[in-house]
């Protein structure tokens, strides 16, 4: 999500079983021909999955223990981001009613002048969903990209260690699993952690990521699954992604932010970045932000998105940015913008098997 989108509101080792499960997913075995959950828990007819377009790539090392729990062996995540999720069950209920099925993942945002919110994580699990925290190393949306105190070198040199360590200790003490999407869309130019902004230099993003991750490791945090999530390549085609990747030993899940603006197909939005990423990592993919711009073709793009998703078994789910302009979107990205777009979305979900959200039982810190 760009600064324009955000400015509208302020606010290793896994067990063999999970590796087998991930292999099944990557092989396209995750529920082909099985009954799929639709509105009210009834079985919906399943369209045969298309052949995956994922290119061959390197074998990923084992994921973390918490990722073992959070990466579904079967089915997908249907996530949402709204102005009030996960704190408002009523808002989640409203989205569920419009979508025809309840979301099983809820995304929210936190800046670096905010502490860890137990209530957010608890609220997500109480609504039957996994919490996805987008953790943004800056202090103010209004200050824009030039925030020297949050330069990447300032993170790596220890200026924020006390805050990071306190955050890590609070996450550990809570114990409930959470996906942390740290410093997203780093290949863009709209955040102060981009290497082309805020006095940053090449190579400093990976150093900052590893420094934060190492503090969590030293604190004994075992209940965080780390997500690395660049923006799609539109407008930043010249920025290569591999130099920004911290490495599989530091990442459990990869992701993308990608919105339809003028494209006719979902593949045109996501595939260029996915092809580049899968040349250096085979981590599972969770689309961390998506939506479609208003227009005559919006319903068609939504329908195509679900067709594309069924053909990518390596994509374990998505988060729809269900916000209008008044709620924080640069455009009205909502699937419920019109009856036609809502029907397209409901139909797409009815043909998609959703994962059973894992429980939020604490993971022992060891």
């Amino acid at each position: 999500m760009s600064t324009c989108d955000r400015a509208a509101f302020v606010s290793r080792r896994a067990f063999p079983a999970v590796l087998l499960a991930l292999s099944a997913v990557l092989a396209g075995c995750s529920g082909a021909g099985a009954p799929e959950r639709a509105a009210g828990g009834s079985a919906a007819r399943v369209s045969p999955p298309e052949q995956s377009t994922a290119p061959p790539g390197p074998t990923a090392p084992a994921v973390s223990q918490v990722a073992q729990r959070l990466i579904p062996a079967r089915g997908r995540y249907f996530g949402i981001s709204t102005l009030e999720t996960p704190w408002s069950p009523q808002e989640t209920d409203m989205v569920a009613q419009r979508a025809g099925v309840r979301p099983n993942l809820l995304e929210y945002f936190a800046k670096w002048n905010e502490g860890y919110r137990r209530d957010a994580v608890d609220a997500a699990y109480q609504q039957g969903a996994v919490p996805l925290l987008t953790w943004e190393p800056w202090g103010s949306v209004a200050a824009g990209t030039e925030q020297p105190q949050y330069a990447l070198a300032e993170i790596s040199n220890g200026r924020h260690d006390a805050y990071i360590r306190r955050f890590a200790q609070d996450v550990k003490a809570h114990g409930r699993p959470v996906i942390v999407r740290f410093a997203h869309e780093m290949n863009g130019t709209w955040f102060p952690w981009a290497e082309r902004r805020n006095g940053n230099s090449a190579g400093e993003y990976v150093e900052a990521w590893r420094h934060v991750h190492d503090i969590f490791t030293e604190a004994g945090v075992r209940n965080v699954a780390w997500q690395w999530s660049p923006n799609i390549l539109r407008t930043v085609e010249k920025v290569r992604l591999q130099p920004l990747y911290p490495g599989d030993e530091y990442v459990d899940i990869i992701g993308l932010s990608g919105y339809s603006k003028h494209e006719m197909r979902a593949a045109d939005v996501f595939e260029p970045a996915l092809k580049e990423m899968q040349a250096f990592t085979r981590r599972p993919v969770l689309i961390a932000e998506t939506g479609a711009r208003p227009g005559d073709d919006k319903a068609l793009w939504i329908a195509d998105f679900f067709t594309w998703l069924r053909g990518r078994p390596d994509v374990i789910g998505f988060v729809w940015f269900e916000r209008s302009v008044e709620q924080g979107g640069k455009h009205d990205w909502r699937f419920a913008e019109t009856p036609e777009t809502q029907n397209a979305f409901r139909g797409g979900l009815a043909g998609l098997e959703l994962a059973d959200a894992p429980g939020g039982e604490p993971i022992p810190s060891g």
Side-chain angles (χ1 to χ4, degrees), residues 246-261:
D248 282 347
E249 64 271 32
Y250 288 91
V251 174
D252 296 299
I253 301 167
I254 60 175
L256 281 172
S257 295
Y259 295 82
S260 168
K261 290 190 175 180

Side-chain angles (χ1 to χ4, degrees), residues 24-360:
V25 173
L26 293 174
C29 303
S30 59
E36 299 192 357
R37 198 171 46 180
S42 60
R45 185 178 179 185
V46 182
S47 301
E50 300 177 0
Q51 183 178 1
S52 173
T53 56
T59 301
V63 295
S64 64
Q65 179 186 5
V66 65
Q68 174 188 350
R69 183 187 295 189
L70 296 179
I71 296 172
R74 181 187 182 93
R76 317 289 182 107
Y77 280 122
F78 157 41
I80 60 168
S81 172
T82 73
L83 191 60
E84 298 297 333
T85 52
W87 293 277
S88 172
Q90 294 78 14
E91 194 153 280
T92 305
D93 291 343
M94 179 181 64
V95 172
Q97 188 276 328
R98 292 172 175 174
V101 66
R102 293 193 65 80
N104 53 8
L105 187 145
L106 298 175
E107 181 177 12
Y108 66 104
F109 294 76
K111 300 184 295 298
W112 271 30
N113 54 10
E114 301 175 72
Y116 174 69
R117 296 282 302 269
R118 283 183 175 232
D119 60 335
V121 173
D122 289 341
Y125 280 114
Q126 288 164 6
Q127 296 169 66
V130 169
L132 169 57
L133 165 59
T134 294
W135 197 27
E136 305 174 305
W138 61 349
S140 168
V141 176
T145 61
E146 299 305 311
Q147 300 187 39
Q149 68 272 37
Y150 294 104
L152 293 170
E154 295 296 291
I155 297 173
S156 298
N157 69 19
R159 177 171 180 171
H160 301 280
D161 281 6
Y163 165 76
I164 300 167
R165 189 170 292 109
R166 182 171 62 253
F167 200 99
Q169 290 169 345
D170 289 344
V171 171
K172 176 184 175 181
H174 196 197
R176 306 192 82 171
V178 59
I179 301 172
V180 172
R181 177 186 176 225
F182 173 62
H184 63 302
E185 300 173 19
M186 75 302 295
N187 57 324
T189 58
W190 44 87
F191 288 124
W193 52 86
E195 289 188 344
R196 292 182 292 166
R197 290 291 183 269
N198 204 26
N200 299 323
S201 300
E204 291 183 338
Y205 179 83
V206 167
E207 292 178 4
W209 176 291
R210 292 177 177 176
H211 182 78
V212 172
H213 187 284
D214 287 346
I215 291 176
F216 274 66
T217 300
E218 292 164 5
V221 179
R222 299 176 61 187
N223 54 309
V224 166
W226 293 89
Q227 184 184 27
W228 177 79
S229 183
N231 196 69
I232 59 170
L233 302 188
R234 185 204 301 128
T235 75
V236 288
E237 290 87 353
K238 295 182 180 180
V239 180
R240 299 279 62 84
L241 296 178
Q242 185 166 10
L244 298 169
Y245 187 60
D248 282 347
E249 64 271 32
Y250 288 91
V251 174
D252 296 299
I253 301 167
I254 60 175
L256 281 172
S257 295
Y259 295 82
S260 168
K261 290 190 175 180
H262 54 75
E263 296 86 354
M264 299 299 295
R265 303 186 309 141
D268 296 333
V269 175
F270 299 109
E271 290 290 346
L274 285 175
K275 181 178 180 181
E276 182 171 335
M277 290 157 61
Q278 290 180 322
F280 57 83
T281 180
R282 299 296 290 175
R283 286 296 191 228
V285 181
L286 174 63
I287 303 298
E289 290 182 38
T290 193
R293 188 175 184 170
D296 294 340
D297 296 324
K298 181 171 180 175
L300 294 175
W301 190 91
I302 291 173
D304 183 73
F305 171 78
F306 286 101
T307 300
W308 172 82
L309 188 61
R310 290 195 300 272
R312 292 296 307 228
D314 55 316
V315 179
I316 63 174
F318 67 96
V319 177
W320 199 272
F321 200 69
E322 189 65 3
R323 306 194 194 203
S324 64
V325 174
E326 295 75 18
Q327 296 165 334
K330 184 178 180 182
H331 302 284
D332 190 341
W333 302 118
R334 296 175 301 159
F335 71 79
E337 181 204 355
T338 69
E340 292 76 17
T341 58
Q342 180 174 320
N343 288 338
F345 196 87
R346 286 176 67 101
L349 273 180
L352 191 71
E353 182 181 14
L354 298 187
D356 293 325

